DNA sequence: TGTCCACTGGAAGGGAGGGCTT
DNA sequence: AAGCCCTCCCTTCCAGTGGACA
């Protein structure tokens, strides 16, 4: 009889009741330890159900402190209540890390307001921004009701593109005729408002909500709640929840990290055919998460960034720690020479290093060495099993591809 | 106390590549 | 086709800087 490669999975006993419940973007029926924050936000958004404009809000807190989850949760309830009361309330969530220019945020919101039968999407480029804005206003007015615009990771956008978007969005109500809008900004950075124009700052900061990081015990509660609906009862070994919580508490109380740990630990246990998850699986999961997070980030890096990263690692593998920008630049230039590419300027490399720092691939601390100048102290955060030579080869291949494509293009003319 | 190093980081702007409008 | 617009990647220019050293 023919066997299918998937057959063994079908007959395999699973440890999960519902794996989705263990994902961080799953919305559970209750959110433990966030009563106060939920109350604050929902009290404000209650205005929307009365047909008034809620205050704009800014939510602060470290990653995995529940900002996004709470907002999503409250908005979901708001919509539900609005529907039952016959009030039109809509929330639109935009992640400003992925959608990170004014134009793109406006067009994203505008396109999310398209009715199913409509086809006139705002193009991803080509229009003047004010036209996109006017189109958005027109679409919101056509729908009517109150719109809650949630800008997640807003600090990222402000740093990159300035505060024009926030200026426009927070003064939107003067352009709207029948609809109303309020803005909720979510930020990991308490001080991002320093970058804002005072007018924008006062309009956006009408109501601030601070999310404290979860402590280990709170993380345990969260994990227990999710495990109850996500895992089979007998699947959970002793001390697993505690260990996941403790490890995540070290990561500044990141609930997202705790949930990932638990889920992947269970996957690991399942893969090797164990009937319960134990602490060993958690350790394995932890190291997998670390390298899993890193690899796709590195591979999607632009080729020049790859070269810079490789230069940092090469320095480090030669026993140099706390390398300065100039030293990285030297190695980078040699690398360019090696693969026959023109090096970029040091100013640009300095910027690319800061970029790598933001991505968490290196740490770059500006330090002053007095008479010997001011520079960055750079160290890589790359696990030792990643080979800088591979990164360089990848960069080289990409540049080669670009070159060939360019060359073919030229000759075909 | 002033100098000076090795940068940092902001600003302005160019040019290529994508697209829209007229 | 010409004239715009937006984004990305990059260069050039330059003022600013923390702290060791003379």
């Amino acid at each position: 009889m023919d066997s299918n490669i998937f057959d063994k999975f079908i007959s395999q006993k699973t440890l999960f009741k519902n794996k989705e419940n263990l994902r961080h973007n799953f919305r559970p029926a209750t959110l433990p330890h966030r009563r106060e924050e939920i109350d604050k936000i929902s009290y404000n958004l209650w205005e929307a159900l009365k047909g008034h404009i809620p205050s704009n809000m800014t939510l602060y807190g470290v990653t995995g402190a529940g900002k996004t989850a709470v907002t999503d949760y409250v908005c979901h309830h708001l919509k539900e209540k609005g529907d039952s009361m016959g009030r039109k309330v809509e929330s639109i969530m935009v992640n400003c890390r992925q959608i990170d220019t004014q134009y793109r945020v406006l067009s994203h919101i505008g396109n999310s307001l398209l009715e199913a039968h409509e086809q006139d999407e705002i193009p991803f480029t080509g229009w003047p921004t004010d036209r996109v804005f006017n189109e958005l206003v027109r679409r919101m007015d056509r729908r009517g009701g109150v719109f809650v615009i949630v800008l997640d990771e807003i600090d990222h956008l402000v740093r990159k593109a300035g505060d024009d978007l926030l200026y426009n969005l927070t003064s939107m109500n003067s352009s709207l005729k029948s609809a109303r809008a309020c803005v909720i900004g979510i930020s990991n950075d308490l001080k991002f408002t320093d970058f804002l124009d005072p007018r924008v700052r006062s309009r956006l900061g009408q109501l601030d909500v601070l999310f404290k990081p979860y402590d280990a015990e709170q993380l345990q509660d969260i994990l227990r709640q999710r495990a109850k609906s996500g895992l089979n009862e007998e699947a959970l070994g002793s001390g697993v929840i505690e260990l996941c919580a403790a490890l995540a508490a070290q990561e500044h109380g990141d609930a997202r990290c705790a949930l990932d740990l638990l889920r992947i630990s269970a996957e690991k246990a399942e893969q090797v055919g164990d009937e319960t998850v134990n602490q060993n699986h958690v350790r394995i999961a932890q190291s997998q998460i670390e390298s899993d997070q890193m690899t796709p980030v590195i591979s999607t890096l632009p080729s020049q960034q790859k070269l810079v990263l490789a230069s940092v690692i090469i320095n480090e593998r030669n026993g140099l720690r706390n390398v300065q920008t100039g030293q990285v630049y030297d190695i980078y230039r040699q690398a360019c020479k090696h693969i026959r590419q023109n090096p970029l300027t040091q100013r640009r490399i300095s910027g690319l290093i800061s970029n790598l720092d933001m991505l968490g691939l290196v740490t770059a601390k500006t330090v002053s060495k007095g008479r010997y100048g001011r520079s960055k102290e750079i160290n890589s955060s790359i696990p030792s099993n990643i080979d800088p030579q591979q990164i360089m080869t990848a960069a080289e291949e990409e540049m080669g591809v670009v070159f060939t494509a360019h060359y073919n293009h030229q000759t075909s003319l």
Side-chain angles (χ1 to χ4, degrees):
Chain A
M1 193 173 113
D2 284 347
S3 71
N4 186 293
I5 53 168
F6 292 99
D7 285 344
K8 63 174 177 180
F9 301 123
I10 294 170
S11 58
Q12 196 178 45
K13 213 176 146 202
T14 175
L15 302 179
F16 291 99
K17 231 186 255 173
N18 187 349
K19 201 188 274 189
E20 289 311 303
N21 295 16
L22 291 174
R23 291 189 195 280
H24 50 72
N25 49 5
F26 173 76
R27 187 191 314 118
T30 58
L31 292 173
H33 303 292
R34 283 296 175 248
R35 188 70 267 152
E36 221 176 281
E37 290 82 357
I38 292 172
D39 281 350
K40 262 192 199 168
I41 298 170
S42 52
Y43 181 73
N44 178 40
L45 292 183
W46 167 234
E47 293 295 321
L49 294 175
K50 296 191 268 179
H52 303 150
I53 312 173
S55 301
N56 296 324
M57 285 185 272
T58 316
L59 318 183
Y60 297 98
V62 295
T63 21
K67 304 178 298 293
T68 312
V70 164
T71 313
D72 175 56
Y73 178 83
V74 173
C75 286
H76 175 73
H77 280 255
L78 181 73
K79 171 115 178 65
E80 230 175 45
K81 198 75 204 165
D83 288 349
S84 73
M85 288 170 67
R87 287 274 181 193
K88 234 179 160 187
V89 187
E90 276 186 69
S91 62
I92 302 159
M93 214 148 180
V94 184
N95 187 317
C96 301
R97 183 171 287 275
Q98 287 138 22
I99 302 171
D100 59 357
T101 65
Q102 169 168 223
Y103 185 97
R104 286 212 272 254
V105 171
L106 291 175
S107 62
H108 176 84
I109 301 173
N111 285 334
S112 73
L113 295 179
L114 271 187
E115 309 288 342
H117 61 275
E118 287 179 320
Q119 306 213 322
D120 47 348
E121 286 221 347
I122 302 170
F124 72 87
T125 177
W127 285 12
T129 308
D130 54 347
R131 183 174 165 198
V132 182
F133 182 78
N134 293 336
E135 176 63 19
L136 174 61
V137 168
R138 197 183 67 77
R139 289 183 187 184
M140 285 169 78
D141 268 334
R142 193 181 50 193
R143 284 226 191 174
V146 179
F147 291 86
V148 180
I149 298 172
V150 183
L151 302 174
D152 202 354
E153 306 210 46
I154 195 176
D155 43 329
H156 187 260
L157 182 129
V158 168
R159 254 192 296 271
K160 193 184 163 219
D163 57 5
D164 287 351
L165 172 74
L166 290 178
Y167 184 90
N168 288 329
L169 286 183
T170 52
S171 55
M172 203 170 202
N173 284 310
S174 55
S175 314
L176 289 166
K177 292 189 188 73
S178 54
R180 292 285 168 257
C182 86
V183 178
I184 300 181
I186 300 181
S187 167
N188 295 327
D189 176 6
L190 256 168
K191 296 209 289 192
F192 95 96
T193 49
D194 292 356
F195 298 95
L196 300 179
D197 181 288
R199 282 170 298 177
V200 180
R201 197 184 308 161
S202 70
R203 269 186 287 191
L204 187 69
Q206 291 167 343
L207 191 70
D208 287 354
V209 183
L210 186 66
F211 284 65
K212 289 200 209 88
Y214 295 109
D215 62 31
E217 270 176 44
Q218 294 173 333
L219 288 172
Q220 285 183 27
D221 289 340
I222 295 172
L223 290 177
R224 281 203 192 90
Q225 178 213 36
R226 298 290 191 99
K228 211 170 171 183
S229 60
L231 286 175
N232 289 327
E233 270 123 64
E234 64 283 4
L236 204 56
S238 73
V240 167
I241 297 262
E242 287 77 2
L243 181 59
C244 291
L247 290 172
Q250 282 170 18
E251 293 275 322
H252 56 254
D254 187 343
R256 204 175 289 188
C257 165
L259 284 166
D260 284 345
L261 261 178
L262 183 60
R263 193 187 72 250
I264 294 174
S265 307
E267 281 173 3
K268 290 284 154 204
E270 201 176 79
Q271 263 170 30
V272 294
D274 287 351
E275 289 187 3
T276 55
V277 190
N278 60 39
Q279 299 191 17
N280 219 8
H281 298 129
V282 180
R283 301 279 179 201
I284 299 171
Q286 192 193 17
S287 62
Q288 191 201 307
I289 289 175
E290 270 173 19
S291 60
D292 277 7
Q293 282 172 341
M294 217 61 104
T295 323
V297 179
I298 296 176
S299 63
T300 52
L301 241 35
S303 30
Q304 290 287 355
Q305 291 242 47
K306 283 199 181 96
L307 275 186
V308 178
L309 180 64
S311 309
V312 175
I313 305 175
I314 289 170
N315 261 320
E316 208 161 83
R317 301 282 154 91
N318 288 331
L320 294 172
R321 299 284 300 171
N322 300 329
V323 182
Q324 292 187 26
T325 308
Q327 289 170 287
V328 173
Y329 190 62
D330 283 346
I331 299 287
Y332 162 80
R333 276 216 320 252
Q334 286 176 36
C336 284
K337 202 171 163 192
H338 178 67
I339 64 170
R340 277 176 246 135
Q341 289 292 321
N342 289 331
L344 304 177
T345 57
Q346 182 160 344
R347 172 72 189 88
R348 181 71 191 128
I349 299 307
S350 172
L352 291 181
I353 291 171
S354 305
N355 236 326
L356 291 173
D357 184 27
M358 271 195 340
L359 291 170
L361 296 173
V362 305
T363 56
K365 195 172 68 183
T366 16
V367 289
S368 174
K369 295 188 189 294
R371 197 175 167 66
Y372 305 105
R374 205 164 171 258
S375 177
K376 288 184 174 120
E377 268 183 358
I378 304 150
N379 289 300
S380 88
S381 318
I382 305 289
S384 55
N385 58 349
I386 291 179
D387 180 13
Q389 194 57 49
Q390 261 175 23
I391 302 178
M392 223 167 96
T393 312
E396 188 180 355
E397 276 166 11
E398 281 167 27
M399 289 169 162
V401 168
V402 171
F403 177 74
T404 320
H406 183 69
Y407 181 75
N408 289 341
H409 180 66
Q410 297 275 311
T411 49
S412 69
L413 286 175

